[in-house]
Amino acid sequence: MLRLENPVQPYAWGSLTAIPALLGRPPTGVPQAELWLGAHPSAPSQVVGDAGLDAVIARAPQALLGERLVARFGPTLPFLLKVLAASQPLSLQAHPSLAQAKEGFEREEGAGVARTAAHRNYRDTNHKPELICALGRFHALCGFRRLADSVKLFRALGKPLAERLEQDGLRATFQQVVTLPPADQRALAFATAEACARRPAPGFEAECAWAVRLSRQYPGDVGVVGALLLNLVTLEDGDALYLPAGNLHAYLEGVGVEVMANSDNVLRGGLTPKHVDVKELLKVLDFGDGPARVLRPSGSPEAVYETPAPEFRLSRLDVAGPVELARRGPELLLVMRGALEVSCGEEVLDLDQGESLFVGADEGPLKLFGEGLLFRATAGAA
Ligand SMILES: [Zn+2]
């Protein structure tokens, strides 16, 4: 069992207080957006008393990851675990499929775009399915709303977009909107936000309120209009969303635990000062419409969030007495509340709130004692 120290990402949308509170540290006045647990080379966890987790794994991948995982995903940890704390909305985004990521990466390599360049879309050859699990209430936009409902929303706003949606469908309308000349995009974004503020569409008051807030943060960004085509989802504590390739989404506000494949491939569609490549985004978007599916975990005491992702599996344990965990390859453990004792063979470690461990594939079953809420990330079933 390896104790970890985890890097914090200070992105501007981050909460000033949530991650410091989890870690039991005073706020620094700087936003703390994400706590990363894993072996991503750009910000690996540090193994206490040793090196970065990526370097530690590179010394003994077969032992720490297991032969099956190394054969499938190579000698690196296939998943990354994060605590995400958003006090402001994140960009409108989607992630490519494995085939799209491979093709895009090769294309940009071929064109000589530096991997660290701001306009680089594909930073690796991997897809990035992700799962976000809410800690307390969490607001997000996820997938296109049922077309008929979006028509109703825009009709109530008195916008011609309603007719276009009805006639041309989602794909063509979305494409038209995001490829308008910049001045027309700005005018449409302002007019839409203004309509939302003046006379919110009945039944869509919360959606309109978010559009007004997004417009205030990104004035004239046509992502405001795109956001109004998506499902507004409010997750309660323990609820989760799975975001497969092509799903257009944006996290709006809240704290969550997120697990994802080890990739950095993001295609943005607005609501960000970062690079936006609409042409590339349109290639990967899934225009299937319908309500977002909220995932609830099943099983006790280990409650598992089932997804089709082969790279990861997230579970949570409300520990209130001894629990024994069978091993399933390498894993990350993070205590979100309370204090636990984790034993493995002869070794026993105390884990307080905010503390975490990496356990290699070659170690035996784990026993948990104490009381607390634990998140566990392992590889998926494949
Ligand atoms: Zn995402």
Side-chain angles (χ1 to χ4, degrees):
M1 297 191 287
L2 304 175
R3 215 179 251 286
L4 301 177
E5 280 288 338
N6 306 300
V8 172
Q9 304 285 7
Y11 310 137
W13 48 260
S15 158
L16 293 170
T17 53
I19 288 177
L22 169 69
L23 301 177
R25 297 178 190 158
T28 58
V30 175
Q32 303 195 18
E34 293 182 347
L35 182 74
W36 284 28
L37 287 80
H40 196 280
S42 74
S45 297
Q46 295 298 307
V47 175
V48 173
D50 199 336
L53 183 58
D54 55 338
V56 170
I57 288 174
R59 291 203 301 253
Q62 301 284 349
L64 293 178
L65 303 176
E67 274 168 32
R68 187 180 65 85
L69 247 61
V70 173
R72 170 94 202 242
F73 301 111
T76 51
L77 191 65
F79 53 88
L80 178 63
L81 183 68
K82 297 178 180 176
V83 177
L84 178 146
S87 66
Q88 286 169 29
L90 284 68
S91 64
L92 203 56
Q93 58 181 250
H95 308 291
S97 69
L98 202 48
Q100 288 160 343
K102 284 200 166 82
E103 185 276 321
F105 182 84
E106 313 271 286
R107 181 159 34 87
E108 290 187 329
E109 287 285 287
V113 184
R115 282 187 207 176
T116 51
H119 64 289
R120 176 98 186 198
N121 288 313
Y122 299 94
R123 293 173 191 273
D124 52 68
T125 56
N126 205 3
H127 62 166
K128 188 174 175 270
E130 56 192 27
L131 174 83
I132 179 97
C133 168
L135 295 163
R137 188 164 287 178
F138 190 95
H139 302 280
L141 299 169
C142 176
F144 287 97
R145 182 189 304 110
R146 210 164 64 94
L147 176 64
D149 292 332
S150 287
V151 170
K152 211 183 288 174
L153 188 161
F154 280 95
R155 184 160 290 142
L157 291 178
K159 290 292 142 201
L161 215 60
E163 280 71 62
R164 209 176 299 166
L165 278 168
E166 257 187 330
Q167 278 164 26
D168 304 342
L170 262 177
R171 179 188 292 270
T173 305
F174 185 85
Q175 190 163 340
Q176 278 170 4
V177 165
V178 296
T179 54
L180 285 170
D184 295 352
Q185 287 194 15
R186 273 197 298 281
L188 178 63
F190 280 126
T192 305
E194 203 194 327
C196 285
R198 204 177 45 235
R199 196 160 45 91
F204 298 101
E205 289 82 0
E207 285 81 352
C208 290
W210 274 109
V212 172
R213 186 169 157 189
L214 291 170
S215 170
R216 241 179 250 139
Q217 195 181 348
Y218 296 103
D221 187 325
V222 83
V224 170
V225 182
L228 274 174
L229 292 169
L230 303 184
N231 294 298
L232 175 63
V233 184
T234 300
L235 302 176
E236 301 297 339
D237 189 59
D239 290 350
L241 283 175
Y242 174 63
L243 306 152
N247 174 290
L248 188 61
H249 58 277
Y251 299 151
L252 296 173
E253 191 176 48
V255 181
V257 171
E258 198 185 18
V259 63
M260 66 204 67
N262 200 17
S263 167
D264 231 356
N265 286 328
V266 184
L267 296 161
R268 297 182 193 85
L271 308 179
T272 177
K274 290 190 193 165
H275 174 60
V276 171
D277 188 333
V278 162
K279 219 175 106 207
E280 207 57 39
L281 178 74
L282 287 169
K283 281 193 209 165
V284 312
L285 275 192
D286 175 1
F287 285 96
D289 62 327
R293 202 163 79 86
V294 173
L295 275 182
R296 301 208 167 82
S298 56
S300 173
E302 182 173 22
V304 180
Y305 295 90
E306 300 286 356
T307 77
E311 287 86 358
F312 61 74
R313 189 181 86 148
L314 183 73
S315 58
R316 55 183 277 157
L317 292 107
D318 267 303
V319 181
V323 177
E324 180 156 335
L325 291 180
R327 301 301 315 288
R328 32 178 302 118
E331 62 186 280
L332 294 164
L333 299 175
L334 170 65
V335 174
M336 292 302 298
R337 202 172 55 228
L340 298 177
E341 195 182 273
V342 185
S343 78
C344 182
E346 299 292 295
E347 197 184 4
V348 182
L349 290 176
D350 287 317
L351 278 195
D352 287 334
Q353 177 180 303
E355 294 187 328
S356 57
L357 292 179
F358 172 82
V359 189
D362 56 346
E363 299 206 54
L366 302 176
K367 285 193 185 120
L368 308 173
F369 305 91
E371 269 183 47
L373 175 63
L374 178 78
F375 279 83
R376 181 188 199 204
T378 63

